[in-house]
């Protein structure tokens, strides 16, 4: 994994970008189909369907990306199951209701914002050459590795950034009053001086009579503690698309055919090196200002045409573009989409290096453009992209083959459900075994497909247990299927008292010792409240939420919540198996002077929490306006249900 990251550093930067913009990568810009009354629909937004197929596809994409990024650290139990489906569905719903609001409010994003955002992507920023020009060819290759074109990235970014304007405007403008911040900080950092008196169960163990009667009574009342859950010994087979892909052969003819079919993808975009002179418009320019700037540009253009060699000198003298004027107007190589449309159209209309444009008007002012050099427009040879194409062809062949063999896997385990041998022989799979498998996840099986929650649920179905039938084929990963069967079933039992007698006796002693400690503590508390004496208490110490001084969490919470209007005061805290404690609160100490940097960070964090709460409320209002309905049964269960519930 680390070698892959090092070798494909730019690619990994782009993957990180994808995680920053999850909605356009995981969800895409979807066309909405009309809603049909079907139990397989996951949700409706404004009457338009989000299908379970769409949700499942997004879940597969997301889990596969996480699997690739995390490698051996990927845990299916964390990222697969109903919660993942709920999160993905909520993401799709949020995207759609925000898209509705973007359209209603006519929100848009400028070309300059799109360009700046793209150039801030580390993988793209790394494509700048030492002379400041941009490697457009490498940029196209970088996106092609993600199955994207520059136009797709720009479109997706425009869509995403337009949607981001809504939550950003809400979260960024939220604030928490200074008085509330001060009160919360004071409550968090408050200190209290306390003395403790502990009543430990171990000090009362000698007084406990753990006789046979007490042991029997505890055993009878707590048999669940001594039960052994039902277990099975299971066989299972795993059909993996990843393993299958490694065995798919790819011929040179297939690569050549794929190259020819995708020839447009390997064209090097044309780039043009340009220089310009900008007669800049003042802010809030009036028509007279505009006319004067245009006239000035025409005068400069006339000078350039008289003496083309003076272009650089005139750019340094007249151009209002601070980024290029000092370089004689040089802008470097520009591809399509890199500049505003009027500038781009004029630049790409020039025929030969040295040609000059007429005066070109844009939002920035009036330009005089000179074409310096043209490059690109060619096609990458097959040999240069052959390894990349081989991977893509193999993936496509594997996907097609996987679909065919996945059907064969599913049909065989169900049609010949009394054994896994037929499917193992047919697809050349290994039959594996696992023993002591229970209904709940077992850490020992965490990395085994048999430990998947869906597999366990199917394995303990009545028909599978009673008739030793195969489970259905169960998808445990984007391209991984599992089928299992029960070889041996062992029902739940309770251990005999004779086998656990010493364990039960220890529990009786612990329980009764804790009860005696609590009784002694409560009696002492009553006496202290009468006398207000500090006799027997330990040395005073100062505690706070940041400095617990070894105080147990339950005790610390009770100390800081205690009414401190009349001091000293004493409270009692039941610590369960750890006994009982009295705490004498002597003083309430103000917090130390807050560090201003930390206070500012606290205020910012509270504002972020408030902003997120405000956005959540706004989002719920948008969901209500968009009449969102969610079919919870389909999302939460393995089988589709027939009812759809209101999201509200």
């Amino acid at each position: 994994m680390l070698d892959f990251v090092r070798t494909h550093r730019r690619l990994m930067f782009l993957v990180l970008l994808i995680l920053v913009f999850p909605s356009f990568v995981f969800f895409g810009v979807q066309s909405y189909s009309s809603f049909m009354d079907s139990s397989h629909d996951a949700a409706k937004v404004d009457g338009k369907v989000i299908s379970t197929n769409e949700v499942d596809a997004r879940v597969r994409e997301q889990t596969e990306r996480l699997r690739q990024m995390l490698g051996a650290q990927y845990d299916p139990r964390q990222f697969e199951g109903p919660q993942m489906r709920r999160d993905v569905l909520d993401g799709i719903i949020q995207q759609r209701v925000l898209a509705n609001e973007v359209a209603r409010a006519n929100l848009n994003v400028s070309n300059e914002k799109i360009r700046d955002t793209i150039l801030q992507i580390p993988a793209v920023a790394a494509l700048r050459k030492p002379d400041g020009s941009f490697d457009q060819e490498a940029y196209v290759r970088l996106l092609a590795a993600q199955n994207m074109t520059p136009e797709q990235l720009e479109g997706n970014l425009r869509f995403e950034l337009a949607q981001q304007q809504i939550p950003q405007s809400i979260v960024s403008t939220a604030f928490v009053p200074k008085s509330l911040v001060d009160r919360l900080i004071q409550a968090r950092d408050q200190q209290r001086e306390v003395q403790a008196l502990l009543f430990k169960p171990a000090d009362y163990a000698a007084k406990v009579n753990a006789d046979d009667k007490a042991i029997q009574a505890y055993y009878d009342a707590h048999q669940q503690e001594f039960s052994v859950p039902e277990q099975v010994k299971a066989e299972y087979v795993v059909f993996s698309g990843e393993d299958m892909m490694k065995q798919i052969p790819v011929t040179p003819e297939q690569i050549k055919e794929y190259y020819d079919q995708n020839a447009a993808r390997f064209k090097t975009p044309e780039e043009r090196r340009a220089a310009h002179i900008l007669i800049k418009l003042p802010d809030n320019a009036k028509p007279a200002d505009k006319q004067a700037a245009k006239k000035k540009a025409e005068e400069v253009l006339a000078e350039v045409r008289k003496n083309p060699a003076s272009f650089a000198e005139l750019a340094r003298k007249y151009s209002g573009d601070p980024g290029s004027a000092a370089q004689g107007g040089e802008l470097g190589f520009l591809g399509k989409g890199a500049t505003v449309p009027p500038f781009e159209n004029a630049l790409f209309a020039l025929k030969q290096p040295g040609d000059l444009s007429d005066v070109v008007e844009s939002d920035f002012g009036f330009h005089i453009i000179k074409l310096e050099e043209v490059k690109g427009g060619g096609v990458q040879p097959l040999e240069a992209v052959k390894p990349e194409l081989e991977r893509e062809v193999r993936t496509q062949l594997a996907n097609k083959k996987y679909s065919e063999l996945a059907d064969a896997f599913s049909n065989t385990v169900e049609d010949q459900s009394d054994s896994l041998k037929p499917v193992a022989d047919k697809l050349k799979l290994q039959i594996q075994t696992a023993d002591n498998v229970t209904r709940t996840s077992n850490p020992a099986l965490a990395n085994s497909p048999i430990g998947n929650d869906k597999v366990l649920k199917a394995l303990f179905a009545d028909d599978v247990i009673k008739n030793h039938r195969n489970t259905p084929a169960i998808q445990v990963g984007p391209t991984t299927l599992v089928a299992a069967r029960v070889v041996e079933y062992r029902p739940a039992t309770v251990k005999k008292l004779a086998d656990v007698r010493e364990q039960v006796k220890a529990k009786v002693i612990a329980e009764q010792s804790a009860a005696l400690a609590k009784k002694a503590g409560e009696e002492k508390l009553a006496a202290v409240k009468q006398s207000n004496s500090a006799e027997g208490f330990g040395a005073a110490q100062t505690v706070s939420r940041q400095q617990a001084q070894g105080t147990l969490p339950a005790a610390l919470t009770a100390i800081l919540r205690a009414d401190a209007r009349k001091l000293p005061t004493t409270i009692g805290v039941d610590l369960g198996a750890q006994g009982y404690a009295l705490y004498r609160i002597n003083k309430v100490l103000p917090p130390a002077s807050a560090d201003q940097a930390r206070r500012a960070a606290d205020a910012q964090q509270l504002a972020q929490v408030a902003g997120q709460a405000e956005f959540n409320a706004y989002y719920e209002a948008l969901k209500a306006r968009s009449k969102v309905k969610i079919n919870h049964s389909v999302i939460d269960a393995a089988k589709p249900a027939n009812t759809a519930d209101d999201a509200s």
Side-chain angles (χ1 to χ4, degrees):
M1 178 67 181
L2 292 177
D3 288 338
F4 178 88
V5 172
R6 281 191 290 266
T7 306
H8 302 80
R9 188 169 301 166
R10 290 182 178 173
L11 176 61
M12 294 307 295
F13 277 135
L14 189 60
V15 172
L16 292 176
L17 165 69
I18 287 169
L19 293 180
V20 173
F21 298 109
S23 59
F24 76 73
V25 176
F26 294 150
F27 307 133
V29 184
Q30 300 294 330
S31 61
Y32 302 160
S33 60
S34 60
F35 184 78
M36 302 298 291
D37 189 13
S38 168
S39 62
H40 293 279
D41 296 332
K44 291 180 184 178
V45 178
D46 267 342
K48 297 171 184 175
V49 169
I50 299 173
S51 69
T52 53
N53 288 339
E54 182 179 350
V55 175
D56 290 340
R58 302 301 178 259
V59 169
R60 285 195 296 272
E61 290 174 11
Q62 188 160 338
T63 53
E64 184 59 25
R65 290 181 188 278
L66 290 168
R67 186 190 300 275
Q68 291 176 3
M69 288 193 66
L70 298 177
Q73 284 73 45
Y74 179 81
D75 184 352
R77 294 174 301 174
Q78 276 187 298
F79 300 110
E80 297 175 15
Q83 186 58 49
M84 168 68 89
R85 288 165 60 82
R86 287 193 290 270
D87 292 343
V88 167
L89 176 61
D90 187 65
I92 299 174
I93 291 171
Q94 184 176 123
Q95 183 197 35
R96 293 202 180 179
V97 299
L98 287 177
N100 289 346
E101 188 65 9
V102 166
R104 188 189 68 80
N106 294 318
L107 299 179
N108 206 341
V109 181
S110 68
N111 292 333
E112 291 75 17
K113 176 66 174 176
I114 298 297
R115 185 178 65 248
D116 291 345
T117 301
I118 292 174
L119 292 175
Q120 288 173 12
I121 302 169
V124 176
L127 300 180
R128 282 208 178 276
K129 299 178 181 178
D131 63 1
S133 61
F134 185 73
D135 192 338
Q136 186 74 15
E137 183 179 334
Y139 173 60
V140 173
R141 288 200 305 271
L142 183 67
L143 293 183
Q146 299 296 317
N147 295 319
M148 299 178 74
T149 66
E151 292 75 19
Q152 287 174 326
L153 177 60
E154 290 165 18
N156 289 337
L157 272 176
R158 190 180 302 279
F159 182 77
E160 176 67 22
L161 292 174
Q163 288 193 24
Q164 285 182 2
Q165 293 179 61
I166 296 175
Q168 285 176 352
S169 64
I170 294 173
V171 174
S172 63
T173 56
F175 71 96
V176 179
K178 178 179 181 298
S179 58
L180 179 56
V181 173
D182 291 339
R183 288 176 60 189
L184 290 172
I185 292 175
Q186 186 175 37
R188 182 195 65 190
D189 296 345
Q190 186 187 88
Q191 304 174 83
R192 296 192 171 192
E193 182 187 280
V194 298
Q195 294 173 267
L197 177 56
L198 304 180
F199 294 82
K200 300 177 182 178
D203 296 336
Y204 298 87
K207 299 179 181 180
V208 174
N209 182 20
D211 56 14
D212 291 344
K213 183 178 179 180
I215 291 173
Q216 184 68 53
Y218 187 94
Y219 175 79
D220 292 341
H222 300 84
Q223 289 202 0
Q224 187 63 32
E225 295 181 24
F226 310 106
S227 65
V228 178
E230 59 182 330
Q231 299 179 347
V232 298
K233 181 178 182 180
E235 293 179 341
Y236 64 98
V237 289
V238 180
F239 175 62
S240 169
E242 292 180 11
D243 293 341
M244 183 194 67
M245 187 167 73
K246 298 173 184 176
Q247 304 168 14
I248 298 289
V250 178
T251 65
E253 292 75 19
Q254 289 172 314
I255 297 175
K256 178 65 167 62
E257 181 182 1
Y258 186 73
Y259 174 79
D260 292 339
Q261 291 171 350
N262 294 271
R265 201 177 115 192
F266 305 108
K267 287 183 178 178
T268 305
E270 181 181 312
E271 289 183 291
R272 296 190 163 207
R273 185 163 66 87
H276 81 143
I277 299 171
L278 172 64
I279 306 302
K280 195 173 182 181
L281 285 172
D283 295 337
N284 303 316
K286 298 177 181 178
D289 298 326
K290 198 171 183 181
Q291 188 62 34
K294 183 177 181 181
K295 182 179 179 183
K296 180 65 176 177
E298 290 172 344
E299 292 172 354
V300 174
L301 176 59
E303 284 191 57
V304 174
R305 282 181 170 159
K306 287 180 183 178
N307 181 13
S310 67
F311 188 95
E313 179 184 345
L314 294 174
R316 283 188 282 269
K317 182 177 180 181
Y318 293 115
S319 182
D321 179 5
S324 67
Q327 282 74 45
E330 284 289 339
L331 294 171
F333 280 98
L334 301 172
K336 289 195 174 180
T339 63
V340 293
F343 190 103
E344 178 182 300
N345 294 338
L347 173 61
F348 280 84
L350 299 174
K351 303 298 184 183
Q352 300 291 335
D355 285 356
L356 293 170
S357 72
D358 292 327
V359 171
V360 178
E361 181 180 355
S362 78
D363 292 341
F364 302 101
F366 295 91
H367 308 261
I368 301 163
I369 305 169
K370 180 182 179 183
L371 176 61
E372 303 276 17
E373 183 182 348
V374 179
K375 74 172 185 178
V379 179
Q380 290 177 273
L382 172 60
E383 289 304 316
V385 293
K386 190 173 182 179
E388 174 187 343
L389 295 184
E390 183 176 352
R391 287 192 298 271
E392 292 182 15
V393 172
R394 178 173 284 108
T395 299
Q396 290 186 6
L397 293 173
N399 287 341
K400 182 178 179 181
K401 191 70 172 176
Y402 173 80
S403 298
E404 297 171 358
L405 296 183
D407 288 340
F409 180 88
S410 300
N411 294 336
T412 305
V413 297
E414 292 188 27
D415 294 343
Q416 302 184 57
S417 60
D418 57 347
S419 172
L420 292 175
K421 190 173 187 302
V423 72
D425 291 344
K426 185 173 185 175
L427 300 180
K428 297 181 174 56
L429 305 176
Q430 179 184 358
I431 297 178
Q432 304 177 63
T433 60
D435 204 355
N436 302 321
V437 180
T438 62
R439 284 182 181 267
T440 56
S441 299
N442 183 338
L445 300 173
N447 297 320
S448 170
I450 199 72
N452 181 277
D453 290 339
K454 291 185 287 187
V455 176
L456 293 176
K457 184 177 181 180
L459 195 58
F460 280 86
D462 288 343
D463 185 51
V464 175
I465 290 176
K466 292 177 181 177
N467 300 318
H468 294 277
R469 300 289 188 189
N470 297 339
T471 69
I474 300 165
Q475 186 168 5
V476 299
T479 58
T480 304
L481 297 174
V482 175
R485 66 186 301 271
V486 173
V487 176
E488 179 185 347
Y489 174 76
R490 296 185 286 274
T493 59
V494 178
K495 296 178 183 178
K496 295 179 180 179
L497 177 58
D499 296 331
V500 293
R501 181 180 178 80
E502 290 305 313
Q503 184 181 350
V504 175
K505 182 178 180 180
K507 289 179 176 290
V508 169
I509 293 174
E511 184 181 79
Q512 294 189 13
S513 297
L516 290 173
K518 180 180 178 181
K519 181 181 178 182
E522 289 175 337
E523 291 173 352
K524 178 66 174 177
L525 177 62
V528 168
K529 287 188 174 181
Q530 289 289 330
S531 65
N532 200 23
S533 170
E535 182 181 353
F537 283 84
Q541 60 179 356
T542 301
V543 298
S544 68
R545 286 180 174 83
Q546 281 72 43
Q547 299 291 330
Q549 307 290 2
T551 306
L552 294 173
L556 183 63
T557 299
I559 291 168
L560 294 170
R561 285 182 176 176
D563 187 352
R565 287 175 293 182
K566 187 177 180 180
L567 298 177
T569 187
T570 303
I571 61 170
V573 183
D574 185 357
L575 301 177
Q578 293 170 298
Y580 195 87
L582 302 186
Y583 292 96
R584 180 181 174 89
I585 304 170
N586 297 319
K587 297 178 184 177
V588 174
L589 305 172
S593 297
D595 175 75
Q596 288 305 311
R598 183 182 175 190
R599 188 196 177 285
D602 290 338
Q604 182 180 13
Q605 187 175 17
L606 289 169
Q608 289 173 347
V609 172
Q612 187 60 51
E614 290 177 10
F615 173 71
N616 290 344
Y618 178 76
Y619 173 46
E620 291 301 320
L622 290 183
K623 286 168 67 177
R625 180 191 295 171
S626 297
K627 299 175 184 175
V628 174
K629 293 186 177 181
I630 300 174
N631 192 339
H632 295 288
S633 300
V634 169
I635 295 300
D636 294 340
K639 292 195 252 183
N642 296 318
T643 58
D645 302 323
D646 288 343
S648 55

